[in-house]
Amino acid sequence: MLRKMVFGVFVAFALVTQANATIIDMNVGEFNYDGSSPYPNSEQNVGSYIFGIPSGEEVVSATISGTFGNSTVSNSAAVQVFLDGIQVAECLYQATCWSSQTVTPWTYTFAEGELGIFSDGLALLTSVQTNDFVTRLGVTNLVLETASVPEPASLALMGIGLAGLGFARRRKSKS
């Protein structure tokens, strides 16, 4: 009977804290910038992501991806790419992305400690060109996954349930 009670509490907790995941998928268009020297030059605005996080949810994972090179030309000048100040990609001088005849894809997955940048519903994509020629970025895609934040009352109910199980087990062992 105690096993059934423990199982029931865990099932109830899973239902109470069940994540109602929402996927937010956004794009920023292609970007070309013929920077002026000296290098590195000043930060350039590539585009903005504006989004809304559903009420009672928070971002639990985020990935950004794009390409060095675009439909204009398949390669790029050496460049660093940032999202709200976090470096998400870099094309180094004479690397494949700089010299290739095909676009070079890149992807960055945000660490848990970096997800706070998405709490305001705005993320600014910028670049810093680090040598001559032209910065060329393809379409840049940002995917956010959100999930429900457990309410304190739900966690309190779970705590009461576990305390009750502990009390029941203690009472049974005394018998």
Side-chain angles (χ1 to χ4, degrees):
M1 182 166 144
L2 187 59
R3 285 185 186 169
K4 289 182 182 178
M5 287 174 49
V6 170
F7 179 74
V9 168
F10 283 110
V11 168
F13 182 71
L15 292 174
V16 166
T17 60
Q18 178 181 5
N20 296 322
T22 301
I23 302 296
I24 302 169
D25 192 340
M26 304 160 282
N27 293 313
V28 166
E30 292 187 349
F31 176 77
N32 294 289
Y33 177 71
D34 187 4
S36 56
S37 60
Y39 298 100
N41 61 16
S42 60
E43 197 171 62
Q44 299 301 309
N45 183 9
V46 175
S48 299
Y49 297 101
I50 300 171
F51 50 90
I53 303 298
S55 179
E57 295 187 15
E58 66 183 2
V59 176
V60 294
S61 71
T63 302
I64 188 168
S65 59
T67 60
F68 293 112
N70 57 33
S71 63
T72 304
V73 176
S74 60
N75 53 24
S76 178
V79 61
Q80 297 169 326
V81 181
F82 300 88
L83 188 68
D84 273 4
I86 298 172
Q87 185 173 336
V88 295
E90 182 173 23
C91 177
L92 297 171
Y93 175 69
Q94 295 189 341
T96 302
C97 53
W98 183 84
S99 61
S100 178
Q101 297 306 308
T102 60
V103 297
T104 305
W106 57 266
T107 299
Y108 182 85
T109 301
F110 291 86
E112 186 177 336
E114 298 171 325
L115 297 176
I117 68 168
F118 302 110
S119 63
D120 63 356
L122 174 67
L124 183 62
L125 185 66
T126 58
S127 69
V128 175
Q129 187 171 324
T130 56
N131 84 325
D132 52 0
F133 303 115
V134 178
T135 295
R136 295 181 189 90
L137 301 174
V139 173
T140 306
N141 179 251
L142 176 64
V143 177
L144 306 176
E145 181 179 356
T146 67
S148 298
V149 178
E151 298 174 21
S154 301
L155 295 175
L157 284 174
M158 175 65 177
I160 291 168
L162 289 174
L165 285 175
F167 179 73
R169 184 175 180 152
R170 183 175 177 193
R171 192 169 181 205
K172 185 177 179 182
S173 66
K174 284 186 176 183
S175 301

